[in-house]
Amino acid sequence: MIVQFSPFVLLYLAAVAIGLFFLLLTQKLPDSPGKRPMQAVVLGTVIWSAAYAVELSSADLGTNLAATLIEYLGILIITPALLLFVLCYTGRDRYVTRNTLVLLMTLPALTFLALLTNPSHLLYYTSVTPYMVGDLTLFLYQYGPLFWVAICYSYLLTAFSVSILLLALMDYPVFYRPQITLVIIAILLPVLTSAVYVAKLGPFPGLQITPVVFTLVGGVLVFASVKHHLFTILPRTQCRIPEYLTDGILITDDAGRVIYMNPAAEVCLLVNAPEAIGQNIVDILPLSPAGDGIVEFRSPDGALLEVTRLTIKESGALGRISILHDISHQRRAEIGLREANRQLSLLSSVTRHDILNQITVVQGCIELSRDISPGPEYERYLAIMKTATDRIQSEIEFTRIYQDLGTQEPQWQELSSIIKAPCCIRLSIDCSGYVVYADPMLPKVFENLFDNAKRHGERVTEISISCDVVERTLRITVSDDGAGIPEEEKEKIFARGYGKNTGFGLFLVRDILAITGIAIYEDGTFGAGARFVILVPDGGWKGDQG
């Protein structure tokens, strides 16, 4: 190796140092789709600058050719990485796959192989001519056909990257345009210097300054990412918003054909986007309004959807957007609220009537006892008043509990997490994975069923709860090994005031469940234990089979 010195070498060594600093800086960036391509761009510039510094430091052809091979390793990384960066930056990172990478790198890899074996075929360069710039020896290459294939491929990828950014420049809000313009300029600048080098123009035709310029490009991208959040305040985020919405989005052209469908719409309509694209919207959304407006639509899976259709006009193109919002839970909550209000109104009327009756009893006993001396008859009146006041107290206590019924919106509740084992009784639960849409007082349903078993089951030692699905209805069975319930009382036990204690427990159970359309009945065998069956309708539960 014949060593020569040139002040230009210091420039390229500085580019290497700066590039390594930028590479280290990118490690501090949060993970994002564009981080790896950006790092690849910086790495490519480091390799290219380092190899070119070696090339300038040597005056013999052999070292120059070896350095050129290493340079090309950096070059073949940079251009594809820039395209991948642009795809990520503009929200097209779904196209950044292993197959895309293999496709982009195939031609550069073949070109590198041709450069490596060039002495046997002379397809990449046909000759190398040294010339002097002062004391510095530079080499001019006579390009072969494969060089032009490689350079055209590189410019084509760059042009494609710039075209994507230009589309973004026109489509995205003004806020993003300075940012996008900066990225476009950063990509085009090294293309200009590369073209000057390829055309052998400029004061030093054999001097390649493009790696230094690419170092500046990498610096611009890294600086913008670290200081100005290039990957957090990002146009691609705006593009991807419909994909993360829980409401379905359908966009149609002026002929009514579907041109876009987000994942939420696929779930709502049970149709895959590739199947829906190109179809008329009425084929997949029959009740879609003809113009702008709002209609309700029952989806294939039974959910009630509110469909809002709006006209969109962009760049002269007329189309419509349909927004699908699931209002099933809202309607269930409205129905539950109406039912709760009805029951509260009924309760208020009945309770007021019962309390007034008991007060009448107390008042009557007070009047009758005025003229009676203490004795058995007097004690009997006191006992009657005590029973009446206890009844009043029980009524008031029940209204305290009942007042919370239906006041909160129903919610999804996992059975295995809300059911708590009762004291002194074994409990087995086989309802793993099942979630029920019910009033927040659902835990009290099971508390009251357990309390009923302890109070009236006489010999209960074990309670078991199981879940199964019958014709899309979830059946929750609560069984005990107690005395059971006589046939003639199976329906009476749910009546208000029936029973040996307050008579409110099972009445409350049925009302809590009824808010969201859940039914309960008892079908155990008298003498063998009670068996309460809770039926949750389709749409009111989720689970392994839901």
Side-chain angles (χ1 to χ4, degrees), residues 123-184:
L123 291 175
Y124 193 83
Y125 59 89
T126 58
S127 64
V128 183
T129 305
Y131 82 101
M132 301 299 294
V133 179
D135 296 331
L136 180 64
T137 301
L138 297 177
F139 293 87
L140 288 178
Y141 287 76
Q142 297 300 319
Y143 308 127
L146 285 184
F147 171 84
W148 294 111
V149 171
I151 200 69
C152 288
Y153 177 74
S154 178
Y155 288 164
L156 181 64
L157 290 187
T158 304
F160 185 48
S161 301
V162 172
S163 66
I164 294 173
L165 290 170
L166 288 174
L167 288 174
L169 189 65
M170 292 185 291
D171 289 343
Y172 292 158
V174 175
F175 173 81
Y176 297 110
R177 291 178 184 173
Q179 187 184 98
I180 298 170
T181 302
L182 179 64
V183 177
I184 291 174

Side-chain angles (χ1 to χ4, degrees), residues 82-98:
L82 270 177
L83 175 58
L84 297 179
F85 172 84
V86 170
L87 289 174
C88 294
Y89 176 71
T90 56
R92 297 173 175 85
D93 48 279
R94 60 187 177 277
Y95 299 120
V96 181
T97 64
R98 182 173 298 177

